[in-house]
Amino acid sequence: MSVTSSSSSLSTFAALWRLKPFIRPIFGRLIGGAASALAAAVIALMIPIVLEQIVKNFTLEASAGSLGFVFAGAFGVLALALGEAVMVWLRRWFVLTPATEVEFQMRAELYSRLQNLPVSFHDRWQSGQLLSRMMQDIGLIRRWIAFGLILLVVNILTIVIGAVLLFRWHWLLGVIFILTGIPLWISGYLFEKRYGTLARRSQDQAGDLATSVEESVHGIRVLKAFGRGKHALTRFSRQAETLRETELSKARAVGQIWFWLDLMPQIAFGLSLITGIWLISVGEIDVAQLFAFFAMATVLRWPIESIGFLFSFMLDARTATDRVFDIYQETNTITDPENPVRIPEPRGELAFEGARFRYQDAGADERDLLDGIDLVLRPGETMALVGLTGSGKTTLTTLPARLYDVTGGRVMLDGVDIRDLELSELRRHIAMAFEDATLFSASVRENVLLGRADLDIHSEEGDRILREALDVAQAAFVDDLPEGLETIIGEEGLSLSGGQRQRLALARAVAAAPQVLVLDDPLSALDVDTEALVEEALRHVLAETTALIVAHRPSTVALADRVALLQKGRITAVGTHSELLRTSAHYRHVISSLEAEEAARTGAIPIITEAMDAAARDEASATEEEVQA
């Protein structure tokens, strides 16, 4: 579905007009709802005219004691009231169900965009802001379409028609009614400017508050462990108080418009009563006409009073539309090519050719995080990637699956630039497992077989692949869960230990059966014995799969055929573990650092050779020229 760009500088009408692609399928039903509502309003406006005839005929025939016309008129009013009720029911029937369809389509569209937008978008947006747009803003738009839009249009038309009918009895009474409405339009114009700003601020602050709640719930273990619950409460209270003050400002703005909406009709009634009595005294109108005039003015009172509420409702809907279209208008920079290339027989050769990367908001004087990476992984080869913290290892692992796109150079898969492949095909050939394992609120089976869209996960083939992947990841613990493979994992898998989550994430990557496997230190949370078993099982998987493994442990390096040393965003050495120990002082320093970290974690005594001690001294005195060599 195509949508136009969003801008806060748009008029309210132009901003809401962007909903047209979603409303178009139900436009006929909306017209039907508006017609029914207008019919109900016209019927209500007919009642004062009938009452005029009743009063006039009653006064004429009262002397004869005839009440027949009065009863006939009463039945006429009852019939009109029933007709009005039927029209109101039809309005609801026409619009309620279609409005929920608009809500569904907008939510589906927004979710689809959130799935397709690059990771860089999610780096910039708070999850609470996205959640508030998905749930609150779209829900508000649905209520406005079903209720606010139709009633605003119909009530304005009702006021116009009713104002014209007021001139039916006497032009002076109609002029009084019109003149007393001028302050309402002035206050409405001022109200729009103030309330629109407050509505946007309120909805943004509600999104921030939702983010705080989400972060506190997800981080409840940390807050409890460090005794920072009161600190989190204070921060939350401060944000909630800010939102409360904004809501109060909104309420004051609405209160001001309601002041005029309540005051001016009362003034109009008073002036009309005085004028009407004078007109009767001079013979310009009779009692029946004045009675009908006030009956008509009473019918118009609710449409007039509702304008303030409906106007604020429209501005809330406009703000919600702006917030939703803030996401709709985001440009997706990682898309399928116009003329995609296919790899008929993938071999799994992965190559980085002068690959560069920097974040969009990086300053001009900042160096690239990846500064010209040249690296080739041969089909079936396992390459370990090592380097000090901040050298760019994790960033490099995000490039093969196009979680981020290179800002220079290219990444090749079997001789094809990955940007020339459809994303679905690329991510069928490349699977990832992250250090921070993320699981979903679904069964163990669904989590592990997430990457096998081509497979019936409940088939015998699905069971076989599932079991093989769990065996590789040493995840037999799933059989001890309450429902085994069908156990629903809690939100983000927090009901499992860190090691259990990592093993299921590793099983998910293995089950995808990719040609290239990218592993970002997927074993960091495992104990030494389990890690050894997983590594042994991984050797069989990696024998037929090209693998790029970020290594934070010496034991992980042992899995690799070759090792690439990453230093300040550049590959400075490639070779076997033993070759790099002999030839690279920086590599010896990195390995000694990894051994020291491993010893601190396990309590073992690190075996650091004299060569590594010397390497540490060499690293401390290395010059920048040596680093760039």
Side-chain angles (χ1 to χ4, degrees), residues 527-566:
D527 60 77
V528 176
D529 294 335
T530 303
E531 179 188 7
L533 293 173
V534 172
E535 288 175 347
E536 180 61 31
L538 267 178
R539 292 183 190 279
H540 300 289
V541 174
L542 298 180
E544 300 178 355
T545 304
T546 305
L548 178 62
I549 305 176
V550 173
H552 290 279
R553 298 184 186 181
S555 56
T556 307
V557 176
L559 286 171
D561 301 312
R562 290 191 298 159
V563 181
L565 177 63
L566 188 60

Side-chain angles (χ1 to χ4, degrees), residues 26 42 97 102 159 173 188 208 238 288 309 355 364 377 390 420 480 482 513 540:
I26 68 163
V42 170
T97 301
V102 171
I159 293 170
L173 294 176
D208 292 336
R238 193 161 50 242
F309 160 71
L377 281 71
D420 293 331
D480 297 327
H540 300 289

